[in-house]
Amino acid sequence: MIQQTDFFFEGGRSGVLLIHGLTGTPMEMKLLGKGLNRAGYTVHGMQLAGHCGNADDLLATGWRDWYASVEQAADALRDKVDHLFVGGLSMGALLSLKLAADRPDQVAGVGVYGATFRYDGWSIPRMARMSFMLPLLKKLGIGRDRSFMEQPPYGIRDERLRAQVSAAMLGGDSAAAGLPGNPWYSLAEMYELSTMVRRQLSQVTAPCLVAHASEDDVASIKNAELVVREVSAPVELLLLDDSYHMITIDKERRTLIERSAAFFERVAAADIPQRVAA
C-alpha cells in the first residue's frame, strides 16, 4: 500500500520543486523544504511514482514513470510561481538535471544535491559497485527478486539521526525512511536514467548549485565533478565536510538551506534568460 507523503508549503512567487532519491521518500527533503519556505519560497516536495510502498510497488515502475511524475509536479508548480527552481537528492538530482535539460525555458535554476550517477562511495561493497552491469542482467531476466541492502552508515554522519532513520527503515516504515534495500531491477532503471542524463548535461543551461559531501559514503565526489565539468551553465560548488550522502538531513543541513535560498534568490533577482539548448 503506497502512502502519500508529499508536502506543499505556500510562499512567494519563486517556487522550488524538491525530488527525493531512489527508494527514498519526500521526508528526506522536508527539512530543506521548510527552510526554503521560511526564506519565502513556495515549495513542493513531490513523491516519485512507485515509492513509499513495498519493493513490488517500486518494481512496477521504471525511470520513465519516475520522470513523468516529476514533469507533472513541475507543471502544477509552474502555474503557481514566476520562477521555477528544482532541487533533487541522489537520483533526484539526476531527475532535476534532466528536467532542466528538457525544459530550458522553464527551469530557472537547479539544486544538485549529492548527485549519483554511480554508486561508488566508500561504504559501497565491492559487489554493489558492479551494479552498473544491472541493465544487462535485467535484459537477461536475471535477479528480479534480488536487492542490495542498505549498509551503515546509511548516508548519515549524525549518529543519533542515523539510529532513528535506520530503525524506521529496517522496521518497514518506507513512507518515513524509504526501503531498506535497492531492488536490482530498480537500480538497472536508475543506471539507464544515469546514462541518459550524462548525455544531456551539456543541454543544462540553468545555473546550478552543486552540493556534495566531501566524504560521501554512497556517491563519490566524482559525481559532482562530472556535473561541474559538463553542464553549459554557471555553477556554484558547495562541499560539505561534516556530512555523508544525505546532506538534506545531515549535520550541515542548515548550511545547505542557507546556501540554496541565497543561490535561488540571486538567480531570481538577476532573472537570467534561459538559453535554448541546441
Side-chain angles (χ1 to χ4, degrees):
M1 181 72 178
I2 291 179
Q3 298 182 53
Q4 203 62 32
T5 61
D6 64 328
F7 57 86
F8 182 82
F9 302 136
E10 184 122 19
R13 295 296 299 176
S14 286
V16 186
L17 177 65
L18 295 178
I19 309 170
H20 63 82
L22 178 63
T23 74
T25 161
M27 293 301 101
E28 66 199 35
M29 309 303 287
K30 198 163 191 177
L31 292 174
L32 174 59
K34 286 182 176 179
L36 290 171
N37 181 245
R38 284 195 297 270
Y41 295 91
T42 293
V43 181
H44 179 202
M46 63 159 297
Q47 183 169 326
L48 294 173
H51 287 69
C52 299
N54 59 31
D56 287 335
D57 294 320
L58 182 60
L59 287 166
T61 61
W63 77 260
R64 289 173 180 82
D65 303 299
W66 308 333
Y67 184 58
S69 58
V70 169
E71 290 189 300
Q72 291 166 8
D75 287 339
L77 183 56
R78 184 167 159 260
D79 288 340
K80 299 178 174 69
V81 298
D82 297 324
H83 298 97
L84 174 64
F85 297 98
V86 60
L89 175 66
S90 196
M91 186 187 74
L94 274 58
L95 292 166
S96 298
L97 288 163
K98 179 163 177 56
L99 188 72
D102 290 345
R103 301 186 177 192
D105 56 334
Q106 294 180 13
V107 176
V110 189
V112 184
Y113 306 130
T116 304
F117 290 88
R118 288 186 67 162
Y119 289 90
D120 59 353
W122 57 262
S123 77
I124 302 298
R126 185 178 297 275
M127 175 66 177
R129 289 185 182 221
M130 302 298 289
S131 58
F132 64 89
M133 298 179 62
L134 289 172
L136 174 61
L137 296 182
K138 184 181 178 188
K139 286 180 181 177
L140 296 173
I142 298 171
R144 188 186 190 281
D145 297 326
R146 300 288 299 277
S147 291
F148 288 120
M149 299 308 292
E150 293 280 353
Q151 299 288 325
Y154 305 111
I156 303 171
R157 190 161 191 155
D158 184 318
E159 293 182 3
R160 187 175 64 174
L161 180 62
R162 183 195 309 160
Q164 294 172 351
V165 171
S166 62
M169 181 173 61
L170 298 174
D173 191 352
S174 65
L179 292 173
N182 288 298
W184 280 17
Y185 279 20
S186 297
L187 281 169
E189 290 288 327
M190 199 284 299
Y191 273 105
E192 289 184 19
L193 171 67
S194 170
T195 299
M196 171 75 70
V197 175
R198 287 180 74 139
R199 289 200 293 259
Q200 288 189 279
L201 285 176
S202 63
Q203 299 169 27
V204 177
T205 55
C208 296
L209 172 64
V210 178
H212 212 93
S214 56
E215 297 182 45
D216 194 311
D217 58 315
V218 173
S220 79
I221 202 168
K222 292 178 182 178
N223 291 270
E225 292 169 346
L226 174 67
V227 178
V228 171
R229 186 171 65 247
E230 297 293 334
V231 297
S232 302
V235 174
E236 183 176 313
L237 179 63
L238 170 62
L239 295 180
L240 298 167
D241 296 329
D242 197 24
S243 300
Y244 290 156
H245 184 62
M246 303 293 289
I247 57 176
T248 55
I249 62 174
D250 213 344
K251 289 185 173 184
E252 295 162 290
R253 60 183 180 270
R254 291 180 181 84
T255 298
L256 184 67
I257 291 168
E258 291 166 3
R259 290 287 293 271
S260 297
F263 177 80
F264 295 147
E265 182 179 1
R266 285 196 302 274
V267 174
D271 198 21
I272 299 172
Q274 300 303 301
R275 293 169 290 171
V276 177

